[in-house]
Amino acid sequence: MRAIFQPSSAPSASIAGTIFIHITVGVLGLGELGLTAALECVRQGYRVRGWSNTLKSVEGIETSAGLSALPDILGDSDILVCMLPQTPQTRGLLNAERLAQMKRGAVFINVSRGSIVDEPALIEALRSGHIAEATLDVFASEPLSPDSALWAMDNVLITPHLASVALPGSAAQQIGENVRRLRSGQELLSRVDPRRGY
């Protein structure tokens, strides 16, 4: 039912130790989770490009920022991973026009928020083959309607919005560390900034 991704422009992708330098992974959103994913792709040998609201300098990742830089990363990525936060600026960011800027035959992965993507435009791009495959963990409306065309598409993998599971041991360590920091007057880890929306 599912095909293995084999981009036409990436002739040498294979298993066990091969460097995937001919496959470009674009990561939209270089926050804590996006940066972790991007660095893991670098570690695996992929060429990685990252895009965020503000420019970051990260060793091994070609970074860019701002709306003017978005078309370039969309058109260059064989695999595009959306890890953006939901903010007024990101809502509807990946509309029909921007999805059309993606490299033909690319794979799209969304593990952030469904509202960032124009779902009808994504369905059309998947039907036409412009986007070869998609893995979707989030949707504009959740749970995904049983009537959604996405359920019947062979080139779509739907996951149950469980991209991350909080393990009690690690969660307790993070909470404990923040309690310690609070008591000692240090800045807390993983703070949400209401002005930024994430």
Side-chain angles (χ1 to χ4, degrees):
M1 200 158 304
R2 301 254 325 131
I4 295 175
F5 173 56
Q6 296 177 346
S8 58
S9 63
S12 67
S14 66
I15 305 174
T18 297
I19 296 178
F20 294 94
I21 58 172
H22 299 293
I23 297 176
T24 299
V25 177
V27 178
L28 303 182
L30 292 176
E32 189 172 332
L33 296 176
L35 185 56
T36 299
L39 289 169
E40 179 59 22
C41 289
V42 168
R43 191 184 75 75
Q44 294 286 334
Y46 291 95
R47 175 179 174 242
V48 179
R49 297 194 59 189
W51 181 87
S52 57
N53 187 42
T54 55
L55 190 59
K56 297 182 170 143
S57 178
V58 182
E59 187 175 341
I61 300 173
E62 299 170 42
T63 60
S64 58
L67 289 177
S68 63
L70 190 54
D72 187 48
I73 192 170
L74 295 175
D76 191 39
S77 299
D78 298 298
I79 302 170
L80 185 70
V81 184
C82 183
M83 300 191 79
L84 293 166
Q86 179 177 295
T87 67
Q89 293 77 29
T90 61
R91 186 178 300 274
L93 181 70
L94 297 178
N95 57 21
E97 177 185 348
R98 290 201 176 101
L99 292 173
Q101 292 171 346
M102 287 179 64
K103 179 184 278 190
R104 181 164 190 74
V107 170
F108 178 67
I109 300 169
N110 190 5
V111 292
S112 62
R113 296 291 177 251
S115 66
I116 294 169
V117 181
D118 177 341
E119 209 164 274
L122 176 62
I123 290 170
E124 184 52 40
L126 286 160
R127 281 184 175 147
S128 73
H130 185 78
I131 296 176
E133 296 182 31
T135 297
L136 306 172
D137 193 55
V138 292
F139 305 94
S141 178
E142 293 182 6
L144 183 62
S145 167
D147 299 331
S148 172
L150 292 167
W151 288 112
M153 299 180 84
D154 287 339
N155 58 344
V156 174
L157 175 63
I158 295 172
T159 57
H161 201 151
L162 292 173
S164 176
V165 177
L167 301 173
S170 63
Q173 288 175 351
Q174 291 173 7
I175 293 167
E177 175 61 19
N178 270 342
V179 168
R180 185 194 68 72
R181 286 171 167 268
L182 183 64
R183 287 181 178 161
S184 66
Q186 293 178 298
E187 186 173 323
L188 300 179
L189 299 175
S190 304
R191 286 187 67 166
V192 173
D193 182 346
R195 291 169 291 149
R196 294 178 81 181
Y198 54 94

